[in-house]
Amino acid sequence: MDTNVRPETMARIQTKELADAFIAEQVKDIRAQVGDKKVLLALSGGVDSSVVAALLIKAIGKQLVCVHVNHGLMRKGESEEVIEVFRNQLDANLVYVDATDRFLDLLKDVADPEKKRKIIGGEFIKVFDEESKKLEGISFLAQGTIYPDILESHGVKAHHNVGGLPEDMNFELVEPIKLLYKDEVRVVGKALGLPATMVDRQPFPGPGLGVRCLGAITRDRLNALREADAILREEFANCGLADKVWQYFIAVPDFKSVGVRDNKRYEGWPAIIRAVNTTDAMSATIEEIPYPVLHTITNRITAEVEGINRVLLDLTPKPVGTIEWE
Ligand code: XMP
Protein backbone atom coordinates (compact mmCIF):
# COMPACT_ATOMS: atom_id res chain seq x y z
CA MET A 1 0.00 0.00 0.00
CA ASP A 2 1.26 3.48 -0.84
CA THR A 3 1.44 5.19 2.55
CA ASN A 4 1.20 8.55 0.84
CA VAL A 5 -2.35 7.91 -0.33
CA ARG A 6 -5.28 8.55 1.94
CA PRO A 7 -7.45 5.42 2.17
CA GLU A 8 -10.99 6.00 0.92
CA THR A 9 -12.30 4.44 4.13
CA MET A 10 -10.67 7.12 6.28
CA ALA A 11 -13.40 9.32 7.78
CA ARG A 12 -12.89 13.07 7.79
CA ILE A 13 -11.81 13.98 11.33
CA GLN A 14 -14.40 16.51 12.45
CA THR A 15 -15.17 15.53 16.04
CA LYS A 16 -13.24 15.26 19.27
CA GLU A 17 -13.94 11.49 19.33
CA LEU A 18 -12.41 10.92 15.90
CA ALA A 19 -9.49 13.18 16.81
CA ASP A 20 -8.87 11.24 20.03
CA ALA A 21 -8.94 7.95 18.12
CA PHE A 22 -6.47 9.38 15.57
CA ILE A 23 -4.19 10.60 18.37
CA ALA A 24 -4.25 7.21 20.16
CA GLU A 25 -3.37 5.41 16.92
CA GLN A 26 -0.56 7.84 16.07
CA VAL A 27 0.92 7.66 19.57
CA LYS A 28 1.08 3.87 19.19
CA ASP A 29 2.62 4.08 15.69
CA ILE A 30 5.15 6.75 16.68
CA ARG A 31 6.31 4.71 19.68
CA ALA A 32 6.65 1.62 17.48
CA GLN A 33 8.62 3.54 14.83
CA VAL A 34 10.90 5.51 17.14
CA GLY A 35 11.51 3.14 20.07
CA ASP A 36 13.92 4.82 22.48
CA LYS A 37 15.63 6.95 19.82
CA LYS A 38 15.59 10.74 19.49
CA VAL A 39 13.56 12.80 17.02
CA LEU A 40 14.31 16.30 15.75
CA LEU A 41 11.63 18.78 14.67
CA ALA A 42 11.80 22.29 13.20
CA LEU A 43 9.05 24.01 15.14
CA SER A 44 7.92 27.22 13.47
CA GLY A 45 4.86 27.73 15.63
CA GLY A 46 2.55 27.29 12.64
CA VAL A 47 -0.41 24.93 12.90
CA ASP A 48 1.22 21.90 11.29
CA SER A 49 4.54 21.84 13.11
CA SER A 50 2.83 22.69 16.41
CA VAL A 51 0.41 19.77 16.10
CA VAL A 52 3.23 17.39 15.16
CA ALA A 53 5.20 18.61 18.18
CA ALA A 54 2.26 18.09 20.54
CA LEU A 55 1.63 14.60 19.14
CA LEU A 56 5.25 13.60 19.54
CA ILE A 57 5.48 15.04 23.04
CA LYS A 58 2.49 12.93 23.95
CA ALA A 59 4.06 9.84 22.41
CA ILE A 60 7.73 10.14 23.35
CA GLY A 61 8.12 13.19 25.64
CA LYS A 62 11.69 14.39 25.90
CA GLN A 63 12.95 12.08 23.15
CA LEU A 64 11.65 14.86 20.89
CA VAL A 65 13.96 17.82 20.41
CA CYS A 66 12.22 20.87 18.96
CA VAL A 67 14.27 23.61 17.36
CA HIS A 68 12.59 26.98 16.95
CA VAL A 69 14.53 29.32 14.68
CA ASN A 70 13.49 32.94 15.09
CA HIS A 71 14.52 34.52 11.79
CA GLY A 72 13.56 37.96 13.01
CA LEU A 73 10.62 38.02 10.60
CA MET A 74 8.02 36.57 12.95
CA ARG A 75 4.86 38.43 13.87
CA LYS A 76 4.68 40.17 17.21
CA GLY A 77 4.66 37.68 20.11
CA GLU A 78 4.98 34.54 17.98
CA SER A 79 8.30 33.20 19.20
CA GLU A 80 7.31 34.08 22.75
CA GLU A 81 4.15 31.98 22.34
CA VAL A 82 6.15 29.00 21.06
CA ILE A 83 8.37 29.18 24.15
CA GLU A 84 5.42 29.65 26.50
CA VAL A 85 3.35 26.78 25.10
CA PHE A 86 6.03 24.22 24.38
CA ARG A 87 8.74 24.88 26.95
CA ASN A 88 6.66 26.20 29.85
CA GLN A 89 3.31 24.44 29.46
CA LEU A 90 4.16 21.17 27.66
CA ASP A 91 7.62 20.85 29.22
CA ALA A 92 9.15 20.09 25.83
CA ASN A 93 12.79 19.78 24.98
CA LEU A 94 13.01 23.08 23.06
CA VAL A 95 16.07 24.70 21.56
CA TYR A 96 15.36 28.37 20.85
CA VAL A 97 17.67 30.09 18.39
CA ASP A 98 17.44 33.83 17.93
CA ALA A 99 19.03 34.22 14.51
CA THR A 100 17.56 37.68 13.84
CA ASP A 101 20.89 39.38 13.23
CA ARG A 102 22.11 36.68 10.85
CA PHE A 103 19.01 36.97 8.70
CA LEU A 104 18.70 40.75 8.75
CA ASP A 105 22.41 41.26 8.03
CA LEU A 106 22.18 38.97 4.99
CA LEU A 107 19.00 40.69 3.78
CA LYS A 108 20.46 44.18 4.08
CA ASP A 109 20.06 46.09 0.78
CA VAL A 110 18.43 43.11 -0.98
CA ALA A 111 15.28 44.37 -2.71
CA ASP A 112 14.42 41.55 -5.13
CA PRO A 113 11.59 39.39 -3.68
CA GLU A 114 12.87 36.07 -5.03
CA LYS A 115 16.40 36.81 -3.80
CA LYS A 116 14.95 37.64 -0.38
CA ARG A 117 13.06 34.31 -0.35
CA LYS A 118 16.19 32.38 -1.36
CA ILE A 119 18.29 34.04 1.33
CA ILE A 120 15.69 33.36 4.03
CA GLY A 121 15.15 29.74 2.93
CA GLY A 122 18.87 29.06 2.57
CA GLU A 123 19.80 30.61 5.90
CA PHE A 124 17.00 28.73 7.65
CA ILE A 125 18.45 25.43 6.45
CA LYS A 126 21.94 26.49 7.55
CA VAL A 127 20.86 27.49 11.05
CA PHE A 128 18.80 24.32 11.49
CA ASP A 129 21.64 22.17 10.19
CA GLU A 130 24.11 23.79 12.59
CA GLU A 131 21.78 23.21 15.52
CA SER A 132 21.20 19.58 14.58
CA LYS A 133 24.95 18.98 14.45
CA LYS A 134 25.25 20.21 18.04
CA LEU A 135 22.81 17.54 19.16
CA GLU A 136 23.79 13.96 19.71
CA GLY A 137 22.05 10.72 18.92
CA ILE A 138 19.27 12.03 16.67
CA SER A 139 17.87 9.27 14.43
CA PHE A 140 14.62 10.72 13.14
CA LEU A 141 13.37 13.94 11.63
CA ALA A 142 9.72 14.83 12.20
CA GLN A 143 7.91 16.98 9.66
CA GLY A 144 4.54 18.69 9.56
CA THR A 145 3.77 17.49 6.06
CA ILE A 146 0.01 17.48 5.44
CA TYR A 147 -2.02 15.85 2.67
CA PRO A 148 -2.27 18.91 0.41
CA ASP A 149 1.56 19.15 0.52
CA ILE A 150 1.74 15.62 -0.88
CA LEU A 151 -0.92 16.33 -3.49
CA GLU A 152 0.73 19.60 -4.51
CA SER A 153 4.36 18.63 -4.22
CA HIS A 154 4.76 18.77 -7.99
CA GLY A 155 2.64 21.86 -8.39
CA VAL A 156 2.91 25.58 -7.93
CA LYS A 157 3.48 25.57 -4.21
CA ALA A 158 6.81 23.78 -4.31
CA HIS A 159 8.75 27.05 -4.17
CA HIS A 160 6.79 28.06 -1.12
CA ASN A 161 8.34 25.52 1.17
CA VAL A 162 10.90 27.75 2.76
CA GLY A 163 10.97 25.43 5.74
CA GLY A 164 12.28 22.70 3.43
CA LEU A 165 15.19 20.94 5.00
CA PRO A 166 18.55 19.81 3.68
CA GLU A 167 18.31 16.69 1.57
CA ASP A 168 21.57 15.29 2.85
CA MET A 169 20.28 15.03 6.39
CA ASN A 170 20.35 11.30 6.93
CA PHE A 171 17.35 10.94 9.14
CA GLU A 172 14.36 8.67 8.81
CA LEU A 173 11.19 10.75 8.56
CA VAL A 174 8.32 10.82 11.04
CA GLU A 175 5.27 12.41 9.41
CA PRO A 176 2.24 11.69 11.61
CA ILE A 177 -0.21 14.12 9.95
CA LYS A 178 0.67 13.54 6.32
CA LEU A 179 -2.75 12.14 5.46
CA LEU A 180 -4.71 14.97 7.10
CA TYR A 181 -6.31 18.02 5.58
CA LYS A 182 -5.79 21.38 7.30
CA ASP A 183 -9.21 21.43 8.99
CA GLU A 184 -8.49 18.00 10.45
CA VAL A 185 -5.09 19.13 11.72
CA ARG A 186 -6.88 21.91 13.60
CA VAL A 187 -9.38 19.48 15.18
CA VAL A 188 -6.52 17.20 16.24
CA GLY A 189 -4.59 20.19 17.63
CA LYS A 190 -7.55 21.21 19.76
CA ALA A 191 -8.01 17.66 21.03
CA LEU A 192 -4.33 17.72 22.01
CA GLY A 193 -5.00 20.81 24.10
CA LEU A 194 -3.13 23.38 22.04
CA PRO A 195 -4.40 26.96 22.46
CA ALA A 196 -6.87 28.34 19.89
CA THR A 197 -4.42 31.15 19.07
CA MET A 198 -2.09 28.49 17.74
CA VAL A 199 -4.54 26.05 16.18
CA ASP A 200 -6.86 28.54 14.46
CA ARG A 201 -4.19 30.82 13.14
CA GLN A 202 -4.24 32.11 9.61
CA PRO A 203 -1.64 30.92 7.11
CA PHE A 204 1.69 32.72 7.45
CA PRO A 205 4.33 32.48 4.74
CA GLY A 206 7.67 30.85 5.57
CA PRO A 207 9.60 34.07 4.80
CA GLY A 208 7.28 35.78 7.26
CA LEU A 209 7.20 39.55 7.48
CA GLY A 210 10.17 39.52 5.10
CA VAL A 211 7.83 39.57 2.07
CA ARG A 212 5.61 42.24 3.66
CA CYS A 213 8.40 44.68 4.47
CA LEU A 214 8.56 45.48 0.78
CA GLY A 215 11.86 45.98 -1.01
CA ALA A 216 15.09 46.09 0.99
CA ILE A 217 14.25 45.40 4.65
CA THR A 218 15.33 47.87 7.30
CA ARG A 219 14.94 47.22 11.02
CA ASP A 220 12.94 50.38 11.70
CA ARG A 221 10.44 49.67 8.92
CA LEU A 222 10.23 46.01 9.94
CA ASN A 223 9.39 47.07 13.50
CA ALA A 224 6.74 49.49 12.24
CA LEU A 225 5.22 46.68 10.14
CA ARG A 226 5.22 44.29 13.11
CA GLU A 227 3.47 46.80 15.38
CA ALA A 228 0.91 47.79 12.73
CA ASP A 229 0.19 44.12 11.97
CA ALA A 230 -0.36 43.44 15.69
CA ILE A 231 -2.91 46.27 15.84
CA LEU A 232 -4.73 44.93 12.77
CA ARG A 233 -4.90 41.47 14.34
CA GLU A 234 -6.11 42.87 17.64
CA GLU A 235 -8.87 44.91 16.02
CA PHE A 236 -9.93 42.02 13.76
CA ALA A 237 -10.21 39.87 16.89
CA ASN A 238 -12.23 42.59 18.66
CA CYS A 239 -14.84 42.85 15.90
CA GLY A 240 -15.10 39.13 15.06
CA LEU A 241 -13.39 39.39 11.66
CA ALA A 242 -10.45 37.26 12.83
CA ASP A 243 -12.65 34.14 12.83
CA LYS A 244 -14.12 34.94 9.44
CA VAL A 245 -11.32 36.19 7.21
CA TRP A 246 -8.93 33.68 5.68
CA GLN A 247 -5.81 35.85 5.68
CA TYR A 248 -5.21 39.45 6.72
CA PHE A 249 -2.07 41.44 7.21
CA ILE A 250 -0.23 44.70 6.72
CA ALA A 251 2.39 45.39 4.08
CA VAL A 252 4.70 48.40 4.35
CA PRO A 253 6.37 49.71 1.16
CA ASP A 254 9.72 51.46 1.19
CA PHE A 255 8.64 54.97 0.37
CA LYS A 256 7.44 57.84 2.52
CA SER A 257 4.81 60.51 2.16
CA VAL A 258 4.44 63.85 3.85
CA GLY A 259 2.17 64.19 6.85
CA VAL A 260 1.69 66.20 10.04
CA ARG A 261 2.08 65.00 13.61
CA ASP A 262 2.13 67.21 16.71
CA ASN A 263 1.90 70.28 14.44
CA LYS A 264 5.10 69.32 12.72
CA ARG A 265 5.90 67.90 9.31
CA TYR A 266 6.03 64.11 9.73
CA GLU A 267 7.24 61.91 6.91
CA GLY A 268 6.24 58.30 7.26
CA TRP A 269 5.53 55.05 5.44
CA PRO A 270 2.02 53.94 4.54
CA ALA A 271 0.58 50.76 6.10
CA ILE A 272 -1.41 48.79 3.53
CA ILE A 273 -4.24 46.58 4.82
CA ARG A 274 -4.91 43.35 2.92
CA ALA A 275 -7.75 41.02 3.97
CA VAL A 276 -8.72 38.18 1.64
CA ASN A 277 -10.91 35.10 1.51
CA THR A 278 -10.15 31.98 -0.46
CA THR A 279 -10.40 28.23 -0.24
CA ASP A 280 -7.20 27.23 -1.99
CA ALA A 281 -5.11 30.47 -2.22
CA MET A 282 -5.16 30.13 -6.02
CA SER A 283 -7.76 32.88 -6.29
CA ALA A 284 -9.02 35.23 -3.60
CA THR A 285 -11.75 37.77 -2.96
CA ILE A 286 -11.69 40.87 -0.78
CA GLU A 287 -13.31 40.99 2.65
CA GLU A 288 -15.60 44.00 3.12
CA ILE A 289 -14.32 45.55 6.32
CA PRO A 290 -16.88 47.88 7.94
CA TYR A 291 -15.83 51.54 7.78
CA PRO A 292 -15.93 52.08 11.57
CA VAL A 293 -13.43 49.22 11.95
CA LEU A 294 -11.22 50.74 9.26
CA HIS A 295 -11.31 54.10 11.06
CA THR A 296 -10.37 52.51 14.38
CA ILE A 297 -7.47 50.65 12.78
CA THR A 298 -6.29 53.79 10.98
CA ASN A 299 -6.47 55.92 14.12
CA ARG A 300 -4.60 53.39 16.19
CA ILE A 301 -1.86 52.66 13.66
CA THR A 302 -1.16 56.31 12.88
CA ALA A 303 -1.19 57.24 16.58
CA GLU A 304 0.68 54.25 18.00
CA VAL A 305 3.19 53.17 15.38
CA GLU A 306 6.40 55.12 15.00
CA GLY A 307 7.15 55.77 11.34
CA ILE A 308 3.67 55.24 9.86
CA ASN A 309 1.60 58.23 8.82
CA ARG A 310 -1.06 56.79 6.48
CA VAL A 311 -3.22 53.68 6.25
CA LEU A 312 -4.36 52.35 2.86
CA LEU A 313 -6.72 49.52 1.89
CA ASP A 314 -5.89 47.05 -0.88
CA LEU A 315 -9.08 46.18 -2.78
CA THR A 316 -7.47 43.98 -5.42
CA PRO A 317 -8.73 40.40 -5.77
CA LYS A 318 -6.50 37.53 -6.95
CA PRO A 319 -6.12 37.56 -9.84
CA VAL A 320 -4.85 40.08 -10.66
CA GLY A 321 -3.05 40.79 -7.39
CA THR A 322 -1.36 37.90 -5.60
CA ILE A 323 -2.21 37.62 -1.91
CA GLU A 324 1.26 38.73 -0.81
CA TRP A 325 2.71 41.88 -2.33
CA GLU A 326 6.02 40.19 -3.09
P1 XMP B 1 0.28 34.42 -3.24
O1 XMP B 1 0.99 35.67 -2.78
O2 XMP B 1 1.10 33.60 -4.19
O3 XMP B 1 0.10 33.57 -1.93
O4 XMP B 1 -1.10 34.71 -3.77
C1 XMP B 1 -0.71 32.41 -1.83
C2 XMP B 1 -0.54 31.87 -0.41
O5 XMP B 1 0.80 31.42 -0.21
C3 XMP B 1 1.43 32.14 0.82
N1 XMP B 1 2.80 32.40 0.40
C4 XMP B 1 3.88 31.75 0.87
N2 XMP B 1 3.97 30.74 1.78
N3 XMP B 1 6.32 30.75 1.48
C5 XMP B 1 5.20 30.27 2.10
O6 XMP B 1 5.33 29.39 2.94
C6 XMP B 1 6.30 31.74 0.55
O7 XMP B 1 7.33 32.14 0.02
C7 XMP B 1 5.00 32.26 0.24
N4 XMP B 1 4.57 33.23 -0.62
C8 XMP B 1 3.23 33.30 -0.50
C9 XMP B 1 0.62 33.41 0.99
O8 XMP B 1 0.75 33.95 2.30
C10 XMP B 1 -0.76 32.93 0.67
O9 XMP B 1 -1.36 32.30 1.78
Side-chain angles (χ1 to χ4, degrees):
M1 192 184 82
D2 185 345
T3 58
N4 280 340
V5 178
R6 189 175 162 117
E8 270 168 32
T9 50
M10 186 170 162
R12 192 96 171 188
I13 301 171
Q14 284 165 332
T15 62
K16 169 101 170 71
E17 289 66 39
L18 285 174
D20 286 341
F22 174 83
I23 292 164
E25 187 189 305
Q26 286 307 316
V27 165
K28 200 168 83 222
D29 289 356
I30 291 166
R31 284 182 185 152
Q33 185 188 1
V34 172
D36 59 1
K37 303 266 174 34
K38 282 195 197 161
V39 183
L40 182 65
L41 170 72
L43 176 60
S44 68
V47 182
D48 305 334
S49 66
S50 296
V51 170
V52 167
L55 256 177
L56 280 149
I57 290 166
K58 195 173 174 78
I60 56 168
K62 298 235 160 136
Q63 285 165 250
L64 174 71
V65 184
C66 303
V67 176
H68 176 69
V69 177
N70 178 356
H71 51 23
L73 305 164
M74 307 293 281
R75 286 172 294 194
K76 190 173 181 176
E78 269 184 324
S79 288
E80 291 81 354
E81 187 179 33
V82 169
I83 293 172
E84 170 56 28
V85 170
F86 288 97
R87 184 179 284 162
N88 300 348
Q89 295 176 19
L90 297 177
D91 194 27
N93 218 334
L94 173 69
V95 179
Y96 170 69
V97 190
D98 184 352
T100 302
D101 288 335
R102 282 179 66 159
F103 281 84
L104 296 189
D105 288 350
L106 278 176
L107 287 164
K108 194 168 177 291
D109 300 325
V110 181
D112 179 66
E114 289 313 301
K115 274 202 194 118
K116 286 165 70 177
R117 275 198 173 75
K118 282 213 180 82
I119 289 173
I120 297 166
E123 194 60 11
F124 182 90
I125 290 173
K126 244 171 131 178
V127 174
F128 188 76
D129 198 29
E130 284 170 23
E131 290 306 317
S132 74
K133 291 206 170 96
K134 290 185 203 160
L135 301 163
E136 289 191 357
I138 302 280
S139 311
F140 294 87
L141 183 70
Q143 283 193 324
T145 314
I146 64 171
Y147 203 43
D149 297 332
I150 292 177
L151 298 177
E152 290 167 18
S153 61
H154 302 293
V156 283
K157 259 186 75 180
H159 72 285
H160 277 173
N161 288 329
V162 163
L165 295 167
E167 286 177 3
D168 62 352
M169 278 191 156
N170 283 324
F171 298 128
E172 192 182 317
L173 290 181
V174 181
E175 297 180 300
I177 57 171
K178 70 175 177 184
L179 296 183
L180 301 192
Y181 288 100
K182 196 79 170 193
D183 56 311
E184 300 180 295
V185 178
R186 294 189 206 274
V187 177
V188 169
K190 277 187 197 133
L192 282 163
L194 288 175
T197 46
M198 204 161 238
V199 172
D200 290 328
R201 64 175 45 200
Q202 49 169 327
F204 186 58
L209 299 182
V211 290
R212 298 175 182 172
C213 190
L214 309 177
I217 298 168
T218 58
R219 289 176 194 241
D220 51 356
R221 195 155 51 87
L222 179 62
N223 285 337
L225 161 62
R226 183 176 286 123
E227 294 300 324
D229 182 71
I231 291 173
L232 178 79
R233 287 194 285 145
E234 227 176 277
E235 291 304 327
F236 265 39
N238 286 343
C239 71
L241 279 175
D243 298 329
K244 190 176 159 231
V245 182
W246 196 80
Q247 198 171 16
Y248 49 95
F249 57 86
I250 297 281
V252 177
D254 60 349
F255 61 81
K256 289 186 170 179
S257 71
V258 177
V260 200
R261 195 186 256 185
D262 302 328
N263 290 321
K264 280 201 285 284
R265 182 182 171 103
Y266 184 79
E267 290 184 7
W269 303 289
I272 301 164
I273 300 174
R274 187 139 176 79
V276 299
N277 291 310
T278 176
T279 46
D280 57 6
M282 302 295 285
S283 65
T285 56
I286 297 303
E287 174 69 25
E288 306 232 334
I289 310 167
Y291 263 85
V293 177
L294 286 171
H295 286 304
T296 305
I297 293 167
T298 303
N299 291 341
R300 282 198 58 195
I301 290 179
T302 52
E304 294 173 34
V305 182
E306 185 59 42
I308 299 225
N309 68 349
R310 284 173 202 265
V311 175
L312 315 181
L313 176 63
D314 182 354
L315 286 172
T316 322
K318 175 180 182 178
V320 65
T322 47
I323 294 176
E324 302 291 345
W325 269 55
E326 291 195 329

